[in-house]
Structure formats: structure tokens, C-alpha cells
Amino acid sequence: MAKRARIKYLLANAKVGMETNVKGWVRTKRGNKNVAFIAMNDGSTINNLQVVADNAVMDEEVMRLVTTGACISVNGQLVESQGKGQSLELQAVDIEVLGVANPEEYPLQPKKHSLEFLREIAHLRPRTNTFGAVLRVRHAMIFAVHKFFNDKGFYNLHTPIITGSDAEGAGEMFRVSTLDPLNPPKTKDGGVDFSKDFFGHETGLTVSGQLEGELGALALSDIYTFGPTFRAENSNTSRHLAEFWMIEPEMAFYDLNDNMDLAEEFLKYLAKYVLENCNEDLEFLNKRALDEEKNLKQEERSELSLVERLQFVIDNDFERLTYTDAIRILRNSKPNKKKRFKFLIDDWGIDLQSEHERFLVEKHFKKPVILYNYPKNIKAFYMRQNEEDSTVRAMDILFPGIGEIVGGSQREERYDVLKARIDELEIPEESLWWYLETRKFGTAPHSGFGLGFERLMIFVTGMKNIRDVIPFPRTPGNAEF
Ligand code: 4AD
Ligand code: MG
């Protein structure tokens, strides 16, 4: 019996006459009682392999069990296809049913299902064209991230997932504990005695690998992390997950400008990588996004298609401006004057909402925007203070359809200034003593940023909801599968 080959390999390399075995799942079966045409997919590519089986091969029993969703193994010979849409098909010699899928129960029928419905069957949705394409592109992007940094001489650093410090200071950590929630040990004043907990103090799931990333950069110069990140923020939006993946490069001797340059180069590289390496899936996703847009009102449609948007990002410099300049633009903007923003822009110092970010990107500049020098009061404690006291060297990159895709900064490397800020914000120093020590021993100017991997995935796939670019999304009220 011939060895199993993947459909991707066969469609790209195989020759007429070759004998092979193929295993995969039935997408559709049509035909009559003399001959059946089975579209088979094994996930290696978006394309199906057409299997042709006459009734000598498929007795009645097999014929009955080969239904949409069933898993089959086919031995046969590749022949030139008579039908259109493919050049090769597999003339079956024998078919074995590895796993049946009762048509009365199998939820994935060969028709269009809504994305909302598919989320409810996330255990099966990888078998659809859309999710197959998304997951293959996701893999390509993971690979591209590592390639980009490896080629640049960065070292990948694994930072801890369980940690005692809330890096972003936003109080959004999931607790990690082995204490009995019904009967925890108590301190003298009645609180929970976390010194009796597994690690001897309070711990949670990390919201960012940055702080440990900095420790790596202050030894290896250029590192990046790529790990899971957890945030217990109750934001049920199309851009927030409770569990997401983040890429966090951290570079010694980089200032804020170097940081912005690297982030822009990185995003362009990823856009180029997907265009060059994911042709078939991207073509499918591009068409899919265009079809979806047809259901939108004219003014809600994007001016560019997915592929055009990717090319646009590659070809155009990102607009760089300060937070202060952005506030000026927003304050004088039409939606602000006509009170069409939900949050009106009035005073300097407020945090920008995604409606403001998207106005700047989609309406005003019509290209990706990097905002920098934010008010220190709306940013994390570790960002470097500017000469004037009120702003820090932060930068956010804003993308069309998404808003913030990257957040980063130059870090405060001066011990006294950092210590004063930690005290001012009443951050418990015992959770950060090791971080402060790097500023005592051989401190150096350094910078870094975080790219939300699923926000990137929204951008490169044209999917609209972050729940549809991760295999098994975690959101408030939802941790199934
Ligand atoms: O802006 P954030 O909170 O920055 C940090 O965590 C820094 N420590 C990064 C650094 O400087 N090393 O998050 C970084 C990015 C955001 O720009 C966004 O793309 C993504 O992470 N992100 C989320 N993605 C999905 N769901 C969420 N709840 C997210 N929160 C942030
Ligand atoms: Mg941010």
C-alpha cells in the first residue's frame, strides 16, 4: 500500500499516475449510484482533493457512511481531472471509513454558518474553510515573528506565567492560589494569610512579560518574549480577550525613536510575510471579507480590501505625532464639535478611547499612526519621564479597524526617578525589589513594546472579531473547550 501523502503536497508536486494514500475529512459527496465524487480535505491546504469512486470501490455500506464530516482513508491513483477547478483527482481503489459522522447530528453542514454559531462549536470549527485559513495564517505569523527576531540577532526569553507583580498596575490579574476558598488561613487582622499559600505570597497570571524581559535585555541586550498573557478586565469587545498572546521585544540602548523604528519595521515585515507566504489562504480571506462587506452600508465599508490594506501598510510611513498634537486634532474634529463621539475630547490628559484612535487613523490621517509622549498619569509606572514633568516616553501604534495594536515605551532607567514614581503610586516595593536593583547595578537606557498577537491576526486575516482569530477564545463568561 502506498504511503500517506498530504493533499497540499499532492496538489503541488504530484504527477499523474502516482499511487498514493490520502486521509482526511469529507466535505461533500455527490454523484449517483454508479459513481461518487468526494471532496476531501486534510487541513494541509484550503484546497480539497476530489476523489472519484465507482460502485466497485464503494459498496452500499461504504457509500452510506461516507458523509460530510466523516474521516476516510483512500488508496488510489492520481489522474488528470475531468471536472474544472482542479488539475488532479484521485481515482479510488479502496476506501476505508476511519470515523463516521452521523448526518443527523453533525453540526457542520456544507453551507454557510454564522461566525456566532461557529463559536459555539469551537471544537469543530477548525474544519471550516474560514478557520482552516485563519489557523494556517496564525501559524505563519508565529513563525514570522521568530524569524524576524532571530534574523536580527535577538534572543527569545521565556518569562514566567505565574508572577507576584502586576506589571501594568491595572489590577487585572487572575489569582493563582491553592488555598481553600471556603476556609482560607487568616491573618491576625482577619485577612487571608497568603504567606500560607503555595508560593508564600499572593500570585497571579501574568499581564505582561515585560518586567522580566527587561532583566533579560539588561544582560543579553536584545531579547523578545512571545507568551500567553492574561487580563481579568471585564471588557466584552471585539478586540479584547482574557487570554491572549503577546510579543514583547526589549532592547538595551534603544531610545523611544529606535523603539518606534523597530516596531514599524516589524509590522511591515509581518504584512509582507503574509502576502508572500499565505497566498491561497489570503485570497480566500480577502474574498470572504469583501463578501461580508456587501452586507454593510456604503459608508461602513472599507476603502481598501484586505490585501490592499496589507500592501498599504508596507508602502507607507506611519504618521508619528505627540499625544498633545493628537488631542488638538481631536478637539477640533467634526465628530467632537458635533458631539458624535461618545466620549468628548475636552481637556488634555484624558485617555483616548478606541473611537478617537480610529478617527485619527481611518478618517484624519488615513494611515497607521504612532502616538507618543503621553500624559504620565494614564500610563504605567515604568515609563521614562520627559524633561517636562507631565509626560512620559510612551508610544502606541494605531491601526485601521483595530485601534491600538502596539503599546510600548522607553523605560525609566534612573533609580531615583523610578523609586519616587513607585512610591507615589503606592506600588508595594516588596513585589518589585529585583526590578529596582537593575537600576542600581549597571543600569542602561532601554526600550521595548508589546504587540498583541490576536490584534495582529485581525489585521492580517480581515476577521472582525478577536474571538475568531484564536482557536479557543477566553472571554468574560466563556472558557469552554
Ligand atoms: O498596551 P499594553 O497593555 O502594554 C503592555 O502590556 C506592555 N507591557 C508592553 C511592553 O511595552 N512590553 O498591551 C500591549 C498590547 C496592546 O497594544 C494590544 O495589542 C494587546 O497587547 N492587548 C490585548 N489584546 C487582546 N486582548 C486584550 N485584553 C489586550 N490587552 C492588550
Ligand atoms: Mg496599551
Side-chain angles (χ1 to χ4, degrees), residues 332-374:
N332 295 323
S333 71
K334 233 194 201 165
N336 200 54
K337 289 186 163 159
K338 298 205 159 163
K339 303 204 183 336
R340 259 189 262 128
F341 282 145
K342 211 161 138 224
F343 297 91
L344 294 178
I345 300 279
D346 195 10
D347 297 328
W348 187 94
I350 64 142
D351 208 352
L352 297 184
Q353 304 293 323
S354 113
E355 58 179 343
H356 308 128
E357 297 175 340
R358 292 183 59 174
F359 172 82
L360 290 170
V361 174
E362 290 160 29
K363 298 275 162 1
H364 191 82
F365 290 110
K366 291 184 187 287
K367 55 157 125 166
V369 169
I370 312 184
L371 292 187
Y372 63 96
N373 286 353
Y374 278 76

Side-chain angles (χ1 to χ4, degrees), residues 168 231 357 379 382-383 395-396 404 406-408 450 455:
E168 295 304 303
R231 296 199 184 173
E357 297 175 340
K379 289 292 182 187
Y382 51 69
M383 298 191 181
M395 64 107 172
D396 277 4
E404 179 189 338
V406 161
R455 301 240 174 125

Side-chain angles (χ1 to χ4, degrees), residues 168 208 210 231 233 239-241 244 246 248 382 404-408 411 448-450 452 455 466:
E168 295 304 303
S208 159
Q210 177 196 322
R231 296 199 184 173
E233 58 186 328
R239 296 177 323 279
H240 287 88
L241 290 166
F244 61 100
M246 186 153 56
E248 295 184 277
Y382 51 69
E404 179 189 338
I405 192 165
V406 161
R411 319 305 188 189
F449 62 84
R455 301 240 174 125
I466 200 161

Side-chain angles (χ1 to χ4, degrees), residues 32-292:
N32 51 42
K33 61 183 189 329
N34 297 321
V35 59
F37 300 96
I38 305 162
M40 219 179 140
N41 189 285
D42 66 1
S44 60
T45 158
I46 192 148
N47 299 308
N48 298 331
L49 180 68
Q50 167 146 294
V51 175
V52 183
D54 57 34
N55 50 14
V57 177
M58 287 237 283
D59 62 31
E60 241 167 73
E61 177 66 358
V62 175
M63 193 73 146
R64 196 173 60 77
L65 298 178
V66 175
T67 55
T68 296
C71 185
I72 59 175
S73 169
V74 183
N75 288 315
Q77 194 178 39
L78 291 167
V79 296
E80 221 162 295
S81 177
Q82 307 299 315
K84 47 180 198 299
Q86 69 261 326
S87 55
L88 287 176
E89 59 192 27
L90 186 65
Q91 183 73 52
V93 175
D94 70 84
I95 297 182
E96 185 189 350
V97 178
L98 301 178
V100 297
N102 183 349
E104 317 270 270
E105 294 172 52
Y106 188 59
L108 270 182
Q109 291 307 313
K111 62 163 197 181
K112 200 169 151 59
H113 292 293
S114 75
L115 293 171
E116 288 76 13
F117 171 70
L118 292 176
R119 272 173 225 147
E120 290 167 16
I121 52 162
H123 57 310
L124 297 171
R125 69 178 184 171
R127 296 187 192 179
T128 62
N129 279 336
T130 298
F131 285 90
V134 166
L135 294 179
R136 282 183 297 270
V137 169
R138 194 176 159 106
H139 165 80
M141 287 291 93
I142 294 167
F143 189 78
V145 165
H146 287 294
K147 180 159 168 52
F148 176 83
F149 287 116
N150 186 62
D151 288 354
K152 276 197 171 304
F154 281 55
Y155 296 112
N156 183 218
L157 185 75
H158 281 163
T159 50
I161 290 168
I162 301 174
T163 165
S165 62
D166 178 0
E168 295 304 303
E172 293 166 344
M173 281 175 52
F174 286 101
R175 186 187 302 290
V176 172
S177 173
T178 53
L179 296 179
D180 178 357
L182 295 177
N183 188 22
K186 295 280 174 61
T187 56
K188 279 198 198 83
D189 49 16
V192 174
D193 185 1
F194 285 104
S195 71
K196 303 260 165 44
D197 205 345
F198 190 91
F199 296 107
H201 58 88
E202 273 194 87
T203 51
L205 297 177
T206 186
V207 297
S208 159
Q210 177 196 322
L211 301 189
E212 291 89 354
E214 288 186 47
L215 312 182
L218 292 171
L220 302 171
S221 290
D222 301 296
I223 64 93
Y224 70 105
T225 73
F226 189 170
T229 318
F230 307 87
R231 296 199 184 173
E233 58 186 328
N234 208 344
S235 7
N236 233 324
T237 79
S238 57
R239 296 177 323 279
H240 287 88
L241 290 166
E243 176 179 302
F244 61 100
W245 291 72
M246 186 153 56
I247 299 126
E248 295 184 277
E250 192 70 35
M251 299 75 63
F253 320 118
Y254 272 48
D255 67 14
L256 186 63
N257 278 318
D258 302 325
N259 201 27
M260 293 194 261
D261 289 345
L262 181 73
E264 183 168 341
E265 183 188 344
F266 182 40
L267 289 167
K268 288 184 159 150
Y269 177 91
L270 295 172
K272 192 151 179 271
Y273 192 92
V274 73
L275 278 177
E276 288 175 357
N277 293 279
C278 303
N279 306 1
E280 290 172 341
D281 288 320
L282 208 54
E283 201 180 300
F284 172 84
L285 291 166
N286 192 57
K287 181 164 176 316
R288 186 187 176 284
L290 289 174
D291 286 346
E292 294 268 295

